[in-house]
Amino acid sequence: QVQLAESGGGSVQPGGSLTLSCAVSGHTGSRWYLGWFRQAQGFARERVAALNFNGAIRYLNSVKDRFTISVDNTQNTLYLHMTNLQPADTGMYYCAEASGTLAYALWSGELKPDSGYWGQGTQVTVSS
């Protein structure tokens, strides 16, 4: 059983920065995929960034030059460093883990909330 716990959300002004953390515990397997998703009110959940056991990384186009995903394997923690935040980045941010047959769903952004493993989310609000 994998457990994920996000932290680091908050309220910032446009142009500000935040770093989200996701503590990962339990057995993820050797061929793991980790990702950050977000969901704005009234919108579908979307994959913001993903990272896999091979070091491959993928970003949503709208965040590609502003967000950085990374993992600290010694601390079992996934990070999302966000800069130049904009109101469109507002939403609940979730970290997720998947392996095996669900790995591609996470990688492509199609992982459903009832599949894989998810944290409870942390709110990010960007407004002036």
Side-chain angles (χ1 to χ4, degrees):
Q1 183 80 8
V2 177
Q3 293 184 320
L4 306 165
E6 305 93 337
S7 60
S11 296
V12 297
Q13 294 186 338
S17 299
L18 281 174
T19 297
L20 306 182
S21 300
C22 173
V24 183
S25 61
H27 179 64
T28 63
S30 61
R31 301 175 71 85
W32 49 265
Y33 284 67
L34 289 165
W36 288 99
F37 289 69
R38 70 185 179 191
Q39 187 166 18
Q41 197 164 5
F43 290 85
R45 193 171 295 191
E46 62 182 356
R47 193 258 299 129
V48 175
L51 172 71
N52 75 3
F53 65 98
N54 263 340
I57 292 175
R58 170 174 283 192
Y59 292 103
L60 184 68
N61 281 339
S62 62
V63 310
K64 192 176 297 185
D65 297 324
R66 300 184 295 120
F67 290 12
T68 303
I69 188 172
S70 63
V71 64
D72 184 338
N73 288 310
T74 63
Q75 298 293 326
N76 294 326
T77 303
L78 179 72
Y79 298 98
L80 185 68
H81 181 56
M82 307 183 291
T83 64
N84 193 20
L85 283 160
Q86 300 301 315
D89 297 314
T90 294
M92 186 69 78
Y93 283 68
Y94 300 89
C95 60
E97 189 274 344
S99 58
T101 57
L102 294 174
Y104 184 76
L106 187 152
W107 193 246
S108 65
E110 297 176 354
L111 189 69
K112 304 302 183 187
D114 59 354
S115 300
Y117 296 97
W118 295 84
Q120 293 300 305
T122 186
Q123 177 68 34
V124 172
T125 303
V126 186
S127 69
S128 53

